[in-house]
Amino acid sequence: MKTTFLFFLLCGQFSYAQNVYEACGLPKSAHSDFYTVDVEQARCLARHSDKAKTLFYTYADWCTHCKAALPDIVALAKQHNTDLYLLLVDEENQTYYSINRTAAMLDTVYHNTLKAVLITDSLYSSKALKKLRAPIRKFIDISGKSAREKYYYFLCAVAPDDEEENRLTGMGKLVVMDKRGEVLGVVERDFDNLDSLYKGYDKVISLLMQ
């Protein structure tokens, strides 16, 4: 009986997510089973959520502290009744490493109850890269990954008031959106406050309470 109930519960969650993806016009990546989003499509996911607030957690398998903090993020979302998406920043074709590992983690650890979408590679533009300030452009060039640039442009759109350097300083950010798809804030993890109740993500609570 429990197994049957769990099966129908997972099917229901899968169908719900599929309906939201279709309503927001999310295309599936040609390289994996993950759906891709630009900024407006992410806003659409928040507008179609059945929760008052939606969290997007910027994530990649190669980000050690992102993986370490994920259980705390999941617990935080449940405690405050918010929707939660992993926002994957990898290049879409990086399936052999980070994306496949993330898919395996979602399957074996979270039994596909945790939603994840991939920032679309269409946000990458070599022409746009040349327009960036030299220090930022050099930082991206050193990394050798277009993933870092599309992540930068995504954060430019959701947090236009942030300093340029802050958009590149790290992963594991929490983007908080309301039911209108408006960005309430982008929260960095406070590594000096990891022993706090929310393991360094205390600032997100005030945003969730708005």
Side-chain angles (χ1 to χ4, degrees):
M1 180 66 73
K2 290 183 178 179
T3 302
T4 303
F5 174 76
L6 179 60
F7 172 78
F8 282 110
L9 177 63
L10 294 180
C11 287
Q13 290 177 338
F14 179 77
S15 299
Y16 173 78
Q18 289 289 107
N19 291 338
V20 172
Y21 295 162
E22 291 175 3
C24 292
L26 269 62
K28 185 177 284 188
S29 173
H31 305 280
S32 72
D33 286 332
F34 288 111
Y35 286 81
T36 66
V37 295
D38 58 20
V39 178
E40 288 308 311
Q41 289 165 333
R43 294 182 190 275
C44 183
L45 292 178
R47 289 195 295 269
H48 281 77
S49 173
D50 59 353
K51 308 293 185 183
K53 302 290 193 309
T54 297
L55 296 175
F56 293 90
Y57 182 53
T58 61
Y59 182 91
D61 178 82
W62 42 262
C63 173
T64 303
H65 79 263
C66 297
K67 291 195 290 185
L70 183 55
D72 296 318
I73 298 301
V74 172
L76 185 150
K78 288 181 178 179
Q79 181 178 355
H80 291 273
N81 195 31
T82 66
D83 213 347
L84 174 63
Y85 288 88
L86 293 193
L87 185 63
L88 310 182
V89 305
D90 301 278
E91 292 178 64
E92 290 185 40
N93 64 355
Q94 298 299 307
T95 55
Y96 63 91
Y97 177 56
S98 186
I99 290 180
N100 278 353
R101 290 190 179 185
T102 299
M105 179 269 295
L106 293 175
D107 181 26
T108 59
V109 178
Y110 292 97
H111 306 291
N112 293 316
T113 60
L114 184 58
K115 294 171 289 189
V117 290
L118 182 62
I119 298 177
T120 173
D121 280 2
S122 65
L123 288 181
Y124 171 75
S125 167
S126 56
K127 183 182 295 185
L129 178 62
K130 295 178 182 178
K131 296 180 181 180
L132 297 177
R133 291 195 301 111
I136 303 299
R137 186 170 65 247
K138 182 178 180 181
F139 184 83
I140 293 175
D141 283 341
I142 289 173
S143 76
K145 292 184 178 180
S146 61
R148 189 173 289 274
E149 188 193 344
K150 71 177 183 178
Y151 179 44
Y152 173 86
Y153 282 118
F154 189 93
L155 293 177
C156 280
V158 300
D161 295 330
D162 273 5
E163 295 292 331
E164 284 185 324
E165 289 79 1
N166 290 343
R167 299 186 184 117
L168 294 169
T169 53
M171 300 288 301
K173 300 177 190 287
L174 275 176
V175 180
V176 186
M177 293 190 189
D178 63 15
K179 189 68 174 171
R180 299 170 299 168
E182 297 296 325
V183 177
L184 301 179
V186 179
V187 178
E188 296 266 4
R189 194 177 195 195
D190 181 2
F191 287 94
D192 293 327
N193 200 25
L194 296 184
D195 292 331
S196 67
L197 181 61
Y198 296 104
K199 309 299 183 184
Y201 284 102
D202 300 61
K203 291 182 180 179
V204 77
I205 304 304
S206 61
L207 299 176
L208 294 178
M209 299 300 289
Q210 288 184 15

